[in-house]
């Protein structure tokens, strides 16, 4: 479905952080950036949570978008997606981010 041999990665390029809020040692914000699936990039906004861990900064987020974006924006075949998208059974898709940002040595 995703043609991973030709497009092995799903990428999210962060442009900016907005709505920063601090709760103790944790930062909450919204990230604005470009989600790339199968070589197609589209703007997406998502909540992010950032906190310190022994190795560096832990960053987690979940980018949510309508399932109809798969065939309409990312050009994934409706046939390969089956009835999930075509009949509206799938309403949302989620792409998760869980990374530790480590300072350069």
């Amino acid at each position: 479905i995703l043609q991973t041999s030709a497009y092995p990665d799903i990428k999210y390029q962060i442009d900016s952080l907005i709505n920063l809020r601090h709760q103790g040692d944790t930062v909450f914000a919204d990230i604005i950036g470009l989600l790339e699936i199968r070589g197609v990039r589209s703007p997406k906004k998502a909540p992010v949570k950032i906190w310190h861990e022994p190795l560096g900064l832990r960053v987690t987020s979940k980018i949510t978008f309508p399932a109809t974006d798969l065939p309409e924006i990312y050009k994934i075949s409706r046939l390969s997606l089956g009835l999930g998208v075509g009949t509206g059974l799938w309403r949302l898709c989620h792409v998760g981010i869980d990374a530790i940002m480590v300072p350069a040595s």
Side-chain angles (χ1 to χ4, degrees), residues 30-44:
D30 293 318
I31 51 177
I32 307 292
L34 293 172
L35 178 64
E36 182 178 332
I37 299 175
R38 295 182 40 166
V40 178
R41 297 169 64 163
S42 65
K44 300 291 181 205

Side-chain angles (χ1 to χ4, degrees), residues 101-105:
M101 297 173 53
V102 179
S105 51

Side-chain angles (χ1 to χ4, degrees), residues 1-74:
I1 291 174
L2 293 175
Q3 297 177 324
T4 56
S5 59
Y7 307 102
D9 299 315
I10 293 176
K11 300 175 185 175
Y12 188 74
Q13 180 181 344
I14 297 172
D15 177 63
S16 56
L17 290 170
I18 60 171
N19 303 324
L20 267 71
R21 331 174 269 297
H22 294 268
Q23 246 180 29
D25 65 349
T26 303
V27 175
F28 295 89
D30 293 318
I31 51 177
I32 307 292
L34 293 172
L35 178 64
E36 182 178 332
I37 299 175
R38 295 182 40 166
V40 178
R41 297 169 64 163
S42 65
K44 300 291 181 205
K45 175 179 148 185
V48 68
K49 179 179 174 183
I50 305 164
W51 68 97
H52 286 276
E53 288 206 346
L55 287 176
L57 288 177
R58 184 73 173 254
V59 179
T60 61
S61 182
K62 182 169 70 172
I63 303 163
T64 302
F65 57 91
T68 54
D69 282 5
L70 294 173
E72 293 172 7
I73 294 175
Y74 300 108

